[in-house]
């Protein structure tokens, strides 16, 4: 119901604060042990990525991918984030990628969980495809700025 009716009808009126709250709520449901709830939450997330501005979703998705306790949620969010990279890069806010997504990809490159590593590899390929050398420079700058 939520993804089928509500998201498309309110998409143009949703502000970044509401998107942040909504993504947090959807993520909680995605991590549910109740299969029906988790499936509905995944559909809602899919609808959000379809109807909402991807630049508005970038920061909340990065936060979830970096900090959420549930690996299934982190992987799903990384997959949705990967699919939006080209659109974000082509938007009026491509700096969102270098400011938030490239550091996330660098941080997750040391993630021990295999499923998150796999999703991060897909993210890195999407970033590299969209950004080219700018991605390499961003990764290099991020890696060099890390404390030893």
């Amino acid at each position: 119901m939520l993804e089928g009716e509500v998201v498309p009808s309110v998409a143009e009126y949703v502000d970044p604060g509401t998107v942040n709250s909504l993504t947090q709520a959807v993520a909680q449901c995605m991590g549910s042990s109740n299969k029906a709830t988790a499936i509905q939450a995944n559909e809602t997330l899919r609808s959000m990525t379809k109807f909402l501005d991807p630049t508005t979703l970038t920061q909340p998705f990065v936060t979830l991918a970096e900090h959420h306790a549930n690996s299934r949620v982190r992987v799903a969010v990384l997959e949705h984030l990967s699919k939006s990279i080209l659109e974000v890069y082509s938007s009026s806010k491509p700096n969102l990628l270098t400011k938030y997504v490239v550091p996330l990809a660098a941080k997750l490159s040391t993630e021990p969980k295999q499923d998150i590593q796999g999703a991060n590899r897909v993210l890195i390929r999407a970033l590299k495809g969209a950004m080219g050398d700018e991605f390499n420079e961003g990764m290099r700058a991020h890696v060099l700025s890390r404390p030893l």
Side-chain angles (χ1 to χ4, degrees):
M1 150 71 187
L2 180 64
E3 45 68 46
E5 299 170 18
V6 176
V7 175
S9 62
V10 300
E12 66 185 89
Y13 307 106
V14 177
D15 64 83
T18 304
V19 169
N20 193 37
S21 299
L22 184 58
T23 56
Q24 294 291 329
V26 170
Q28 287 302 108
C29 293
M30 287 172 65
S32 174
S33 58
N34 180 316
K35 284 259 190 228
T37 300
I39 289 169
Q40 186 64 46
N42 275 306
E43 291 300 319
T44 301
L45 187 68
R46 189 172 297 119
S47 184
M48 289 171 64
T49 58
K50 182 178 177 182
F51 292 104
L52 298 177
D53 179 4
T55 62
T56 306
L57 293 168
T58 300
Q59 284 182 269
F61 279 8
V62 166
T63 301
L64 287 173
E66 188 171 4
H67 299 292
H68 203 279
N70 188 310
S71 292
R72 284 182 295 147
V73 172
R74 293 174 74 191
V75 168
V77 169
L78 283 167
E79 288 170 355
H80 287 287
L81 188 59
S82 296
K83 291 175 185 174
S84 70
I85 294 301
L86 189 56
E87 196 171 353
V88 172
Y89 190 71
S90 301
S91 75
S92 61
K93 300 179 182 179
N95 60 318
L96 290 172
L97 298 180
T98 51
K99 188 173 182 180
Y100 299 106
V101 185
V102 171
L104 171 69
K107 183 175 182 177
L108 292 181
S109 66
T110 60
E111 172 66 43
K113 295 181 180 176
Q114 294 293 321
D115 53 347
I116 295 173
Q117 282 182 7
N120 192 47
R121 281 192 293 275
V122 172
L123 177 65
I124 288 171
R125 280 193 293 271
L127 286 165
K128 201 168 189 169
M131 299 173 69
D133 289 338
E134 192 178 349
F135 167 75
N136 294 333
E137 293 167 16
M139 283 293 274
R140 192 174 306 112
H142 186 74
V143 169
L144 292 175
S145 70
R146 284 188 193 169
L148 296 175

